[in-house]
C-alpha cells in the first residue's frame, strides 16, 4: 500500500512539470514545420501507427498516467504506444490549463479551509467560509470580526464583566478603527469602572469625531452620568446640549434642573455659564434662575419668581417643574394658584395628578387618596400607569399604592402593560415591599443581578454598593429614564433637607 502511494505521488509530482515541458516542446515542433520525428516519439521505431514508442513515459512509474498529459498514448500488446504519426502529433494546452486550473483551485480551497479554520479556532470571532473564500469579501473580514467582538463585549458588559468586555472592545477597535459602537461602549465601560477623566475625554472625542452620531453619544453620556449620580458633569453636559440640540431642549433642561438641586453645583453653574443660561428659552431660564436663587439661600426670591405664571408659550415639563419646585419650597398656595392658571392647558388626568401632589404637600391625606382613587378609575394605559407610579415615587402613599396594585392585579389585560420593575421600586418607596415583590421580573435586571432584598429605599445613602441606595437600585434594575430622574430627585431633596 505504501509503495503504491509512493508511486502515485511521484507520478503526480511529475505531471505538473510534464504538462508544461511536453506541450512546449510539441508546440515548437509544430511551429517549426513538423520536421523529423516528434520530440516525444522514439526515433528507433518504425513510422507505423501503433508501433511508435513514447520516450516521454520512460521515467514514469505507470505509463498510463501520462495520458493526463497526452491522450494519444494507447495500450498495445507490446506496451504503451503513440496512436498517431509524427505529422499528427500536437500539443494539448487546454488539457494542461485544465489540470493547472484544477490544481490551483484545489490549492486555493485548501488554503481557504486552513485559514478559515485558524481564524475560527485561534481568532476571537467567527468568520464564515464564504468571507475567506471570496476575494470581494476580504475587505469586510475585519469589519465582521470587529462586529462579532463588539457583540461579545455587549454580553460581557451585560454580565458586569468589564475587564473581558474591554479586552474584546480593544480587539474590535484594532480590527476596525471606525467601529463607533465599540468606541462608545469603551467610554461607557470606563465610566462605570470609575475612570471618569478617561471616560469624559472619550465621550468628548466621540461628540467631535462622529457628528452623525452626536445625538446618540450625548444621550448615552447623559444616561451614564445620571446613573452614577455625577451631577456636576451632568449639569455641564445638559446645559451645553440644551443649546446644541434645540429639538430636545426641555429634556436637557429637566436633567439640568435635577443636577442644580445640589447648591454647590447651582452656584458654580450660575457663575461659570451665565451666557449659556441667558440663551435658554424664557420659561426654562426662569426655572434655572430659581434653582440658583435657592442655592444662594434666597428662597424667598425663588418663591416669588416661581409664583408668577409664565405668560409665554407653555411647556408641560416646565409647568410640572415649576409647580414641583414651589411644593419643595412649601409654597402650596402659590402652587395651587399656578395649577388654576395652567389648568386649561393641561389634560384632565395631568391636572388631577398635580392636584394629588399639592394635596399631599398640604398633608391632606384624605383628599389626596380620593384624587388618586379617581385617577385609577380613569381609562388606564401604559403611559398613564407610569405617571401614577411617578406620582407615588415623588409623594409616597402606601394606601394609594395598594389601590393601584389591586387594580392592576385584578385586570389581566391591564397587567400586561405594566413595567414590573417600576411597580417594584414604587412599592418599596411607598412602604409596601410585600406587594412590590410580586412584581419582580428578572427580565428587567442588569448584569445578571438580583432585586435588592430591601424593605425600603434609604434616600440618604449615596454609595452604589449599598443595596438600599437609589444609586445601587438604578444600576442593577433596568428602569425608565423618567423613573431614574424621579428617584434621584427625591434622593437629593431628602439629602438637602437633612
Amino acid at each position: 500500500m505504501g509503495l503504491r502511494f509512493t508511486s502515485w505521488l511521484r507520478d503526480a509530482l511529475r505531471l505538473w512539470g510534464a504538462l508544461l515541458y511536453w506541450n512546449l516542446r510539441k508546440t515548437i515542433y509544430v511551429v517549426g514545420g513538423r520536421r523529423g520525428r516528434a520530440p516525444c516519439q522514439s526515433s528507433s521505431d518504425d513510422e507505423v501507427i501503433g508501433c511508435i514508442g513514447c520516450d516521454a513515459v520512460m521515467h514514469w512509474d505507470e505509463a498510463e498516467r501520462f495520458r493526463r498529459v497526452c491522450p494519444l498514448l494507447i495500450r498495445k500488446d507490446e506496451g504503451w504506444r503513440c496512436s498517431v504519426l509524427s505529422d499528427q502529433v500536437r500539443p494539448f494546452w487546454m488539457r494542461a490549463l485544465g489540470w493547472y486550473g484544477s490544481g490551483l483551485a484545489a490549492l486555493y480551497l485548501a488554503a481557504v479551509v486552513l485559514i478559515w479554520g485558524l481564524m475560527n479556532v485561534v481568532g476571537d470571532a467567527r468568520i464564515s467560509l464564504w468571507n475567506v473564500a471570496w476575494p470581494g469579501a476580504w475587505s469586510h473580514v475585519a469589519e465582521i470580526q470587529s462586529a462579532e467582538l463588539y457583540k461579545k463585549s455587549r454580553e460581557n458588559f451585560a454580565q458586569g464583566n468589564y475587564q473581558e468586555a474591554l479586552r474584546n472592545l480593544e480587539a474590535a477597535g484594532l480590527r476596525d478603527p471606525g467601529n463607533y459602537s465599540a468606541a462608545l461602549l469603551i467610554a461607557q465601560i470606563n465610566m462605570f469602572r470609575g475612570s471618569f477623566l478617561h471616560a469624559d475625554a472619550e465621550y468628548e472625542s466621540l461628540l467631535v469625531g462622529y457628528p452623525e452620531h452626536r445625538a446618540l453619544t450625548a444621550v448615552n453620556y447623559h444616561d451614564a452620568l445620571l446613573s452614577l449620580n455625577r451631577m456636576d458633569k451632568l449639569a455641564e453636559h445638559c446645559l451645553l446640549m440644551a443649546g446644541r440640540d434645540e429639538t430636545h431642549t426641555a429634556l436637557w433642561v429637566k436633567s439640568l434642573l435635577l443636577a442644580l438641586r445640589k447648591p454647590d453645583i447651582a452656584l458654580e453653574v450660575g457663575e461659570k455659564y451665565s451666557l449659556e443660561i441667558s440663551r435658554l428659552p424664557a420659561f426654562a431660564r426662569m426655572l434655572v434662575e430659581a434653582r440658583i436663587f435657592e442655592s444662594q439661600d434666597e428662597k424667598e426670591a425663588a418663591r416669588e419668581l416661581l409664583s408668577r405664571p409664565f405668560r409665554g408659550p407653555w411647556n408641560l415639563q416646565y409647568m410640572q417643574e415649576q409647580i414641583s419646585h414651589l411644593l419643595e419650597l412649601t409654597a402650596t398656595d402659590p402652587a395651587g394658584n399656578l395649577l388654576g392658571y395652567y389648568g386649561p392647558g393641561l389634560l384632565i388626568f395631568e391636572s388631577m395628578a398635580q392636584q394629588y401632589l399639592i394635596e399631599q404637600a398640604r398633608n391632606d391625606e384624605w383628599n389626596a387618596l380620593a384624587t388618586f382613587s379617581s385617577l385609577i378609575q380613569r381609562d388606564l394605559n401604559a403611559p398613564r400607569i407610569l405617571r401614577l407610579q411617578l406620582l407615588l415615587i415623588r409623594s409616597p402613599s402606601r394606601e394609594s399604592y395598594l389601590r393601584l396594585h389591586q387594580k392592576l392585579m385584578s385586570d389581566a389585560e391591564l397587567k400586561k402593560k405594566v413595567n414590573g420593575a417600576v411597580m417594584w421600586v414604587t412599592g418599596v418607596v411607598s412602604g409596601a415591599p410585600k406587594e412590590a415583590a410580586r412584581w419582580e421580573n428578572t427580565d428587567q435586571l442588569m448584569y445578571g443581578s438580583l432585586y435588592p432584598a430591601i424593605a425600603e429605599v434609604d434616600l440618604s445613602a449615596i454609595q452604589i454598593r449599598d443595596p438600599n441606595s437609589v444609586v445601587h437600585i438604578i444600576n442593577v434594575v433596568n428602569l425608565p429614564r423618567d423613573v431614574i430622574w424621579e428617584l434621584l430627585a427625591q434622593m437629593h431633596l431628602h439629602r438637602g433637607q437633612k
Side-chain angles (χ1 to χ4, degrees):
M1 186 68 179
L3 292 174
R4 186 179 299 177
F5 174 77
T6 303
S7 171
W8 174 87
L9 182 61
R10 283 197 297 264
D11 284 345
L13 294 174
R14 292 182 180 109
L15 173 66
W16 306 109
L19 286 167
L20 181 63
Y21 177 79
W22 287 111
N23 278 298
L24 184 60
R25 287 199 62 183
K26 288 179 182 181
T27 299
I28 295 172
Y29 172 72
V30 171
V31 172
R34 301 178 185 272
R35 289 191 290 271
R37 185 61 65 88
C40 57
Q41 292 182 341
S42 176
S43 59
S44 61
D45 292 335
D46 295 331
E47 186 77 7
V48 177
I49 294 177
C51 295
I52 307 172
C54 179
D55 289 344
V57 301
M58 290 178 60
H59 303 292
W60 287 62
D61 289 357
E62 291 287 342
E64 184 179 8
R65 293 170 184 156
F66 185 72
R67 299 188 76 248
R68 296 181 178 89
V69 179
C70 179
L72 299 178
L73 188 67
I74 60 172
R75 183 191 292 274
K76 302 288 287 184
D77 293 338
E78 299 82 5
W80 289 93
R81 297 290 185 265
C82 186
S83 63
V84 298
L85 299 177
S86 293
D87 60 358
Q88 294 176 313
V89 169
R90 57 189 178 86
F92 291 93
W93 283 113
M94 292 305 296
R95 179 175 287 261
L97 290 175
W99 276 104
Y100 279 126
S102 299
L104 289 174
L107 287 174
Y108 182 77
L109 182 59
V112 164
V113 171
L114 177 62
I115 294 171
W116 173 76
L118 289 173
M119 293 178 74
N120 282 277
V121 172
V122 180
D124 295 314
R126 303 282 78 82
I127 303 298
S128 71
L129 188 61
W130 172 256
N131 289 121
V132 179
W134 177 242
W138 290 349
S139 60
H140 301 296
V141 169
E143 295 176 11
I144 294 169
Q145 290 178 314
S146 182
E148 180 71 18
L149 287 164
Y150 171 71
K151 181 180 177 181
K152 281 186 177 180
S153 68
R154 292 291 302 179
E155 295 171 359
N156 299 144
F157 183 61
Q159 296 164 0
N161 189 349
Y162 296 155
Q163 195 63 37
E164 186 66 16
L166 274 177
R167 189 186 74 80
N168 283 321
L169 286 171
E170 288 168 357
L174 288 174
R175 285 165 173 77
D176 181 13
N179 190 329
Y180 163 80
S181 297
L184 181 64
L185 190 54
I186 287 176
Q188 189 176 1
I189 290 174
N190 281 325
M191 180 74 79
F192 281 93
R193 291 180 71 205
S195 302
F196 295 150
L197 291 177
H198 193 190
D200 290 341
E202 287 173 327
Y203 274 113
E204 290 298 330
S205 177
L206 288 170
L207 286 168
V208 174
Y210 295 89
E212 70 277 16
H213 296 299
R214 184 170 295 159
L216 177 58
T217 304
V219 171
N220 188 285
Y221 190 23
H222 165 276
D223 290 350
L225 294 170
L226 189 68
S227 296
L228 294 172
N229 194 33
R230 292 188 61 201
M231 292 299 153
D232 52 346
K233 198 65 181 178
L234 181 67
E236 177 186 330
H237 177 61
C238 290
L239 186 54
L240 295 176
M241 286 306 302
R244 295 175 184 173
D245 183 14
E246 296 182 358
T247 57
H248 300 98
T249 299
L251 295 176
W252 295 115
V253 169
K254 184 172 183 176
S255 284
L256 171 62
L257 292 171
L258 172 63
L260 295 182
R261 288 171 178 269
K262 295 187 71 173
D264 55 334
I265 295 176
L267 282 171
E268 182 181 355
V269 168
E271 295 172 358
K272 188 176 179 180
Y273 296 101
S274 57
L275 179 61
E276 286 79 6
I277 293 172
S278 69
R279 292 172 177 169
L280 291 172
F283 205 161
R285 187 168 64 250
M286 179 188 74
L287 298 173
V288 171
E289 289 173 349
R291 287 291 175 189
I292 294 173
F293 277 140
E294 187 179 7
S295 71
Q296 296 168 339
D297 205 22
E298 297 182 23
K299 293 186 178 181
E300 193 55 45
R303 286 192 192 94
E304 182 180 348
L305 181 61
L306 291 168
S307 297
R308 304 171 193 162
F310 185 72
R311 307 293 181 180
W314 288 352
N315 178 289
L316 176 59
Q317 289 190 43
Y318 295 159
M319 290 189 286
Q320 291 172 336
E321 290 290 336
Q322 186 178 2
I323 294 174
S324 175
H325 196 175
L326 277 172
L327 294 178
E328 290 174 29
L329 296 169
T330 66
T332 55
D333 289 340
N337 294 335
L338 274 182
L339 180 58
Y341 180 81
Y342 291 140
L346 299 175
L347 295 175
I348 295 176
F349 191 89
E350 180 58 30
S351 184
M352 292 175 64
Q354 293 298 326
Q355 185 63 40
Y356 166 80
L357 293 175
I358 293 172
E359 289 164 348
Q360 282 282 86
R362 289 172 174 164
N363 293 318
D364 188 355
E365 296 180 5
W366 192 90
N367 279 319
L369 181 58
T371 300
F372 195 88
S373 297
S374 297
L375 285 167
I376 291 175
Q377 298 309 313
R378 303 188 70 84
D379 292 333
L380 295 183
N381 52 30
R384 284 186 171 183
I385 293 171
L386 177 59
R387 185 70 184 108
L388 292 173
Q389 292 164 332
L390 293 173
L391 289 177
L392 291 172
I393 293 173
R394 178 175 297 188
S395 190
S397 166
R398 186 174 188 278
E399 185 59 36
S400 294
Y401 176 82
L402 291 177
R403 293 192 181 188
L404 176 61
H405 169 78
Q406 292 164 4
K407 169 77 173 180
L408 299 176
M409 281 293 185
S410 63
D411 189 330
E413 288 302 315
L414 202 57
K415 186 179 177 182
K416 295 177 182 178
K417 302 176 183 178
V418 180
N419 183 319
V422 179
M423 199 63 186
W424 170 81
V425 75
T426 305
V428 175
V429 171
S430 301
K434 185 181 297 185
E435 290 75 15
R438 296 182 63 183
W439 293 96
E440 292 182 3
N441 181 355
T442 55
D443 291 340
Q444 299 297 323
L445 294 173
M446 297 185 287
Y447 319 131
S449 57
L450 299 174
Y451 279 88
I454 56 176
E456 62 180 12
V457 176
D458 185 356
L459 294 173
S460 65
I462 59 173
Q463 296 299 322
I464 193 171
R465 291 182 177 84
D466 185 342
N468 290 73
S469 72
V470 168
V471 182
H472 178 82
I473 290 171
I474 64 179
N475 278 281
V476 298
V477 183
N478 189 12
L479 298 169
R481 190 179 292 118
D482 284 340
V483 176
I484 295 174
W485 267 323
E486 204 61 67
L487 286 169
L488 288 172
Q490 296 315 303
M491 184 188 77
H492 288 292
L493 177 61
H494 180 85
R495 291 180 62 82
Q497 292 173 344
K498 290 186 68 177

